Amino acid sequence: MPSLTRKIPHALSVVTLALLGACGGGGGGGGGGGFGFIPPASNGGDPPAAAGTTLSGTVATGAALAGAVLTVFDQTGAKVCEVTTTAEGSYSCSLPAGTKAPLVIQAVRDDLTLYSTTASTATGTANVTPLTTIVVAQLAPNGDPAKLAAAIQADAGAVTAGSIGDQVARLLAALQPLLAALDASIDPMSGEFQANGTGQDRVLDALNVSVRPDGTASNIEITVKALPAGDDSPPVSIVFRSGDATIAALPAIDAATLVQPPTPAMVQALLDRINACYALPLAQRVDSPIEADGNAYGSAANVVAPACRTLFVNDDPASFVAAGAPIGRVSSGARRSFESLFRFGPTNLKHDRGNFEYFHKNGDIALTYRWTDVLGNTDNDVFNAKIVDGALKLTGNGNTYRAFVRPQLDKKDYLKHQNLVFHSVGYAVSVDNVRDGNGNPVLSKVVATTASLPGKELVLVPKAGLNSLVLTPDGTAGSALNSAVWRMSARYLDPAQPGSPSDFDNANLFATPAYTDEELGKIADQSVWKLEFFHADGATPNVVQYVRTFSRVPTIAEAVQTPMVELTPALRAQVLAESLGSPRGIVFAAPTPSEPNNVDFSADGGLDGWTVPAGALAPTSFSVFGRAPGAGGARFSETVTVRSTARKAMVYCQPVGASDTHCVPAGNSSWQYAQGSSISTFGFTARTARQVDVRKNFEVWTVTLP
């Protein structure tokens, strides 16, 4: 029997350290009074703390990191303080007598972790921001901020006031063009400030920072949130590794492009207003008739609640059009924007974690946020807003078609073939397969390019039966694959396994040759992709849209460091045993009235089916993939949303048309899987605040290598 999947060592994930400069504020700039530049003591830190010393500061990414758990570790590795940051992002720790420096400070909220350090136990200021996290990465073994506390425990001289000061000086030199444009002077480690959009916090507002450990060093990127000259303007950024001897400075920055971003109060006020709209019952949000299923259909004109109408520019939902879709909900046809306003399920939907990401050319603002429904389901998403009379209003994107480009990190765990387990990284290019009134595709192809990857062209085409366009290796519809995922690099977990996963995984497009980690690490976080849409009628002019990503694709080394969901040993053994007898995976037998053919993804006895290791993102969706009965059975997939706290799931068969044979009636207008239908893959998906899709597939089919 194959061995169980090797657990990924506990480490900071690429998503944990994707540190985004949020919208929001700040206070006084490079004030003193802290302890970031105290001359080093001979033992690597100040004498032990006397009773009554206090460590305090601001935890912010621009916006306050409110509700974060902040922990302070001293030279011995002891936890000497643990507090929760205030709504303003501030904290205060009374250090116990005998606390030994150097200290490491860690602040954690959701999938974001920030770090700082100080060589003193005297009363003073120690801020925790993306910039202080860079300093900690520069000081830490292998560039991993999570390992600095252990390094100090092994050698108190690993961090001194002098070494901290040296790294701060290098960082400020790299930031000098931005500081000059803002006429700012900052002390990132110990300068007192508030998260209110001024002084030192104004600098944080203008930056997007990512720190990604890969086991050898951290890949670090600093991006300036400047107003772009055009939709295709590349980001202003620098990329370096924590071990680099020098850091190149940012290019010269035009002060006129550093537009004042929305304040944290403005972003929070928008989220509060959205929550107030969704707190209303459906019958108050819209005046459309409520159907038998409890939902409604209608258009923007049917949105009548003032709390909802005033969310949009001109206080008019009709002003909002995104990807060619106005606000509304229809019984058939293309999806509309804000369909949730017309459904009862999203009532009391909550929105939080608002984050200013970047400016569009016209000054509109891209915001990421988190939503949570009444059942505890949660996910991260994006919307655009405009500042109108000092308040943020929702606005559309002006695009004709619905299309996205998202980085993806993927691990495939082959239960029958542990030697074939592999990680892959790449981009998912999602384009709706728009159809005309006769059901024919409107688009003949879409060509995707980016200046971040000169000379590379991805071509997507429609494929019968699929609702999204798929990639094609040669640009023709005849070679269409089954996926829109471009795997730029893939690597077996077992270093002794020869060949490449592309030898047998022919459903996806693999880059040839594969990109190296060095090449992937140089791709900008905010890469701009150009999507050109070609129409099937040959007469309609092409449409061009631009998509800006929030993060680059991870490197393979970063992917390996990322903890991911795991099956419980009990369910893993159960699934493996049920799949051993069939090359297609798990095959459904004839259903019985007492045991219908559903997917009960839990261990025997209703026990948990999966676990979420420390540092891993909890999945927000669970999917099953398989084939209908027969040798040439059509492919199918079903996906359900799962709560972040869920550890088991139920999936029911959902037919997609009259000719679909993978489902059969189960009575009471429900469906079940037909005898002979098979499941080859169980998949989990989570999405980071940086809009990186993190996928883990458990494959139960039998692989035949060429």
Side-chain angles (χ1 to χ4, degrees), residues 638-685:
E638 263 91 40
T639 298
V640 296
T641 300
V642 294
R643 302 181 215 177
S644 59
T645 56
R647 298 297 180 264
K648 47 192 171 184
M650 287 289 297
V651 181
Y652 301 94
C653 198
Q654 296 293 328
V656 294
S659 61
D660 188 347
T661 61
H662 88 284
C663 299
V664 294
N668 298 321
S669 300
S670 62
W671 297 86
Q672 62 183 324
Y673 290 95
Q675 180 179 0
S677 287
S678 58
I679 293 178
S680 59
T681 304
F682 299 97
F684 295 90
T685 302

Side-chain angles (χ1 to χ4, degrees), residues 173-536:
L175 295 176
Q176 191 54 43
L178 173 66
L179 299 177
L182 291 173
D183 192 22
S185 176
I186 66 171
D187 175 357
M189 308 302 291
S190 56
E192 295 183 9
F193 77 98
Q194 295 176 327
N196 63 9
T198 64
Q200 184 162 183
D201 195 65
R202 177 66 181 94
V203 176
L204 292 175
D205 274 341
L207 293 175
N208 168 36
V209 175
S210 61
V211 179
R212 301 177 174 97
D214 66 8
T216 303
S218 271
N219 296 304
I220 301 171
E221 181 169 356
I222 301 175
T223 304
V224 179
K225 299 179 183 179
L227 185 70
D231 289 327
D232 58 348
S233 297
V236 178
S237 64
I238 53 174
V239 178
F240 57 97
R241 284 175 66 79
S242 57
D244 289 350
T246 59
I247 306 174
L250 286 165
I253 298 170
D254 182 356
T257 65
L258 298 175
V259 179
Q260 181 70 42
T263 66
M266 291 169 64
V267 175
Q268 187 58 50
L270 173 61
L271 298 178
D272 289 344
R273 298 195 330 263
I274 295 174
N275 292 340
C277 167
Y278 281 95
L280 298 173
L282 175 59
Q284 293 182 29
R285 296 199 300 267
V286 302
D287 64 2
S288 308
I290 306 299
E291 304 294 325
D293 63 358
N295 299 311
Y297 299 111
S299 67
N302 297 111
V303 179
V304 294
C308 300
R309 295 187 63 83
T310 54
L311 294 175
F312 303 95
V313 172
N314 298 325
D315 297 340
D316 183 5
S319 69
F320 187 99
V321 178
I327 286 177
R329 183 170 180 263
V330 294
S331 58
S332 61
R335 289 173 290 181
R336 300 292 178 91
S337 299
F338 278 93
E339 289 187 343
S340 55
L341 288 172
F342 295 81
R343 295 189 288 109
F344 77 90
T347 301
N348 287 317
L349 192 69
K350 300 297 183 184
H351 303 73
D352 62 6
R353 305 291 196 251
N355 194 62
F356 161 58
E357 301 293 349
Y358 55 75
F359 287 105
H360 292 279
K361 179 187 69 172
N362 64 357
D364 287 353
I365 296 156
L367 298 172
T368 52
Y369 66 96
R370 182 183 71 171
W371 61 259
T372 305
D373 67 16
V374 294
L375 298 177
N377 301 311
T378 185
D379 207 350
N380 297 296
D381 214 332
V382 182
F383 49 51
N384 290 339
K386 186 188 297 289
I387 299 177
V388 180
D389 297 329
L392 287 172
K393 299 277 189 173
L394 297 176
T395 185
N397 57 22
N399 290 336
T400 303
Y401 296 109
R402 187 173 182 270
F404 304 97
V405 179
R406 289 195 180 99
Q408 180 168 298
L409 180 163
D410 180 84
K411 182 180 181 182
K412 288 198 172 187
D413 183 346
Y414 291 84
L415 271 66
K416 298 178 182 177
H417 313 276
Q418 286 295 280
N419 58 311
L420 299 183
V421 175
F422 72 88
H423 288 89
S424 71
V425 295
Y427 286 99
V429 186
S430 176
V431 180
D432 282 359
N433 185 10
V434 183
R435 296 178 174 88
D436 62 19
N438 296 319
N440 298 314
V442 170
L443 300 170
S444 61
K445 67 177 180 179
V446 173
V447 177
T449 56
T450 175
S452 294
L453 300 168
K456 184 59 188 177
E457 183 177 275
L458 299 177
V459 180
L460 299 100
V461 295
K463 188 170 185 178
L466 298 182
N467 292 323
S468 297
L469 270 59
V470 296
L471 287 165
T472 171
D474 62 5
T476 67
S479 63
L481 300 171
N482 295 315
S483 165
V485 176
W486 179 41
R487 300 185 187 276
M488 301 176 71
S489 184
R491 185 183 304 165
Y492 288 119
L493 190 62
D494 182 355
Q497 178 62 33
S500 165
S502 62
D503 294 339
F504 66 89
D505 186 346
N506 55 17
N508 296 286
L509 181 63
F510 285 78
T512 305
Y515 285 78
T516 66
D517 274 4
E518 182 179 4
E519 291 171 326
L520 295 173
K522 292 179 180 178
I523 298 173
D525 276 335
Q526 293 187 9
S527 293
V528 178
W529 287 76
K530 175 185 176 183
L531 304 180
E532 186 169 5
F533 299 78
F534 294 76
H535 295 91

